[in-house]
Amino acid sequence: SDWTCPQCSSIVFGRKNECFKCHTPKGGTAKGDSVPKGAEASRPPPKALFTVTGIEIKQRRGDWTCSACSTLVFARKDECFKCRTPKSGSHSSNGGSGGWQDARGGGGSKHIQIQLNKDLLVVAKSGDGVHLCALVVERLLDFDAVNAATAYRILLTKTVRDAWARNEALTSLERVLRDQHVKDFGARECANTLHSLAKAEDQRPCADLISALESRALVVQGGFIPQNIANTLWAFATLGHQPEDALVAGLMARALEVQGDFNPQDIANTLWAFA
């Protein structure tokens, strides 16, 4: 099973024999700890462990249990990420229930989505690919269209040592994008997602997602700027995907409308797509 590093508290996959972050060996102790022989076995298990797709998370002070579905939720969240039940009335790990503000009202939801994007970018910049995958899996149900597109773009272009964790996160994102979020995409999200797919080192088996992006691009084609047009056409050509004639005609008509805004790179990518 997965284990918690005693030195830095990172969650490590069970098959790993040392912490990926600080390299403390599995079964070791934190620096400065003195554990008598045999004492480890007598220690009580960590309080309130829960699992998110095989990742064990230790409950911390302020975390609370959803009164509707019994899911353990981080203290900073005002509603259950699984069933959306508000924090009010649920049980906190410090014995209290505390006040709450419905994240779906008063602009709270928008704040959560902005913070999620910041979290994704910070973890990505840290180079910790395993934690990035864990963050995506854990918060997947909280993502809006922009969060999902951002997470997918980052994972497609990032090298993660644990290929299994990366594939699991990408597969989950592809399913959620296709079924829930592509319908809310604007021109930028459509173009950027297709462009990232085309640039990925591994060819993703996601024909359904590509088709969904193509259909959505046809709906929002009037919002495409030159870079979106160039990236979309370049991506289709690179992926070997022939888009519907209606989309090609629509993008070309839009290109004529904004032709004065094309830069040399946009022109080159667009012409290459038709070569």
Side-chain angles (χ1 to χ4, degrees):
S1 63
D2 297 338
W3 52 282
T4 303
C5 174
Q7 179 62 33
C8 67
S9 300
S10 295
I11 306 300
V12 188
F13 289 116
R15 61 181 177 276
K16 302 293 185 181
N17 292 320
E18 68 174 16
C19 174
F20 63 90
K21 192 169 185 180
C22 68
H23 303 294
T24 297
K26 186 176 183 179
T29 60
K31 294 179 180 178
D33 283 358
S34 179
V35 181
K37 186 175 181 180
E40 185 68 29
S42 64
R43 284 182 177 176
K47 182 181 178 182
L49 285 174
F50 75 103
T51 302
V52 181
T53 319
I55 303 170
E56 290 183 343
I57 309 293
K58 185 185 294 186
Q59 183 173 355
R60 303 179 188 278
R61 182 174 179 82
D63 292 347
W64 52 281
T65 303
C66 175
S67 57
C69 67
S70 300
T71 298
L72 186 63
V73 187
F74 289 139
R76 64 179 179 272
K77 297 183 64 178
D78 293 323
E79 66 176 12
C80 174
F81 65 87
K82 190 171 184 180
C83 69
R84 306 294 182 183
T85 297
K87 186 175 183 179
S88 178
S90 296
H91 302 291
S92 170
S93 65
N94 60 9
S97 58
W100 64 277
Q101 179 180 0
D102 191 341
R104 289 164 290 187
S109 180
K110 185 65 175 177
H111 174 76
I112 290 174
Q113 313 313 331
I114 292 173
Q115 186 59 51
L116 273 173
N117 249 34
K118 289 180 179 179
D119 291 345
L120 287 167
L121 295 172
V122 167
V123 176
K125 189 175 181 179
S126 74
D128 192 342
V130 174
H131 272 195
L132 176 62
C133 293
L135 174 63
V136 169
V137 172
E138 176 205 335
R139 303 300 300 273
L140 188 62
L141 296 180
D142 291 327
F143 285 173
D144 66 1
V146 175
N147 298 145
T150 300
Y152 193 56
R153 174 180 57 80
I154 292 172
L155 276 176
L156 280 174
T157 56
K158 187 172 184 62
T159 300
V160 179
R161 287 183 299 172
D162 194 323
W164 180 88
R166 177 179 180 271
N167 185 65
E168 180 188 33
L170 282 171
T171 300
S172 299
L173 272 170
E174 286 161 357
R175 182 177 62 253
V176 170
L177 280 167
R178 182 195 66 216
D179 296 342
Q180 297 181 29
H181 295 309
V182 168
K183 63 181 177 59
D184 297 321
F185 271 17
R188 179 182 179 182
E189 287 76 35
C190 287
N192 287 354
T193 304
L194 286 166
H195 190 251
S196 297
L197 269 170
K199 289 183 66 177
E201 293 182 1
D202 54 330
Q203 188 73 31
R204 299 290 303 169
C206 53
D208 289 346
L209 175 58
I210 293 173
S211 294
L213 288 165
E214 179 183 350
S215 297
R216 183 59 183 171
L218 184 60
V219 174
V220 298
Q221 59 185 303
F224 275 64
I225 61 174
Q227 184 181 28
N228 301 153
I229 296 170
N231 284 351
T232 298
L233 293 172
W234 178 88
F236 281 139
T238 302
L239 291 167
H241 178 83
Q242 177 61 50
E244 294 292 332
D245 291 344
L247 178 57
V248 175
L251 290 179
M252 287 301 90
R254 178 60 180 163
L256 289 174
E257 293 175 0
V258 295
Q259 58 182 302
D261 297 325
F262 273 78
N263 63 34
Q265 185 65 59
D266 297 333
I267 294 171
N269 286 348
T270 302
L271 291 175
W272 183 91
F274 287 103

